[in-house]
Amino acid sequence: MDGNLSPSAPPALREYYRIMSEGPEAFGDGSTLRPLLSERLDFTGAMAGHRPDATEGFLQGVSGFIATVEGLDILREVHDESSSAVLYDAAMPGGNVRFAEFFTFDGAGRIDTLHVHYDGADYLAKGGR
């Protein structure tokens, strides 16, 4: 799996995609990902909807993604001093699913907001959970 971002990506984001691409062993119980997230992650996703205080829920939900994804192909990334956008294809058991993720970071460099755009029906049809 290759979830590597360029050196211009914020450190928290490079670590986030490393964990996402290295599978359940890297994720473990979520304790490796937790320090990268603000205490009150503002999350929006195709299946979860908008969750303004979603740190715990996100950690639970992302474990299903990590357990089923077979690889990440980073297609495009854009970064500035307080936000990032990443476009990638996730290889799932039934084929690729395209994701666009938009991030903002808090003053400590942790992920403060995450808005994920993808086709939820396609994700489920290709083996996502």
Side-chain angles (χ1 to χ4, degrees):
M1 287 195 226
D2 183 6
N4 294 324
L5 294 180
S6 70
S8 65
L13 203 57
R14 287 195 311 268
E15 183 67 4
Y16 170 88
Y17 280 103
R18 183 194 68 76
I19 293 166
M20 298 285 277
S21 66
E22 289 186 0
E25 298 79 30
F27 179 74
D29 64 359
S31 61
T32 57
L33 193 57
R34 173 177 272 297
L36 307 176
L37 307 174
S38 71
E39 290 300 314
R40 297 211 154 131
L41 176 70
D42 187 319
F43 177 78
T44 303
M47 295 176 15
H50 179 234
R51 309 254 171 130
D53 189 1
T55 303
E56 293 305 317
F58 176 76
L59 289 170
Q60 291 172 10
V62 77
S63 66
F65 174 83
I66 290 171
T68 56
V69 70
E70 298 170 346
L72 299 179
D73 182 18
I74 305 294
L75 303 172
R76 180 91 169 123
E77 57 183 284
V78 179
H79 312 284
D80 67 23
E81 58 279 345
S82 63
S83 62
S84 292
V86 179
L87 179 68
Y88 65 92
D89 285 339
M92 306 298 293
N96 286 346
V97 177
R98 179 146 303 164
F99 288 80
E101 296 187 330
F102 300 88
F103 302 85
T104 63
F105 304 94
D106 67 13
R110 296 175 300 190
I111 299 167
D112 196 37
T113 64
L114 170 54
H115 299 279
V116 182
H117 298 274
Y118 63 100
D119 181 332
D122 187 42
Y123 172 74
L124 291 174
K126 291 180 177 169
R129 55 182 171 130

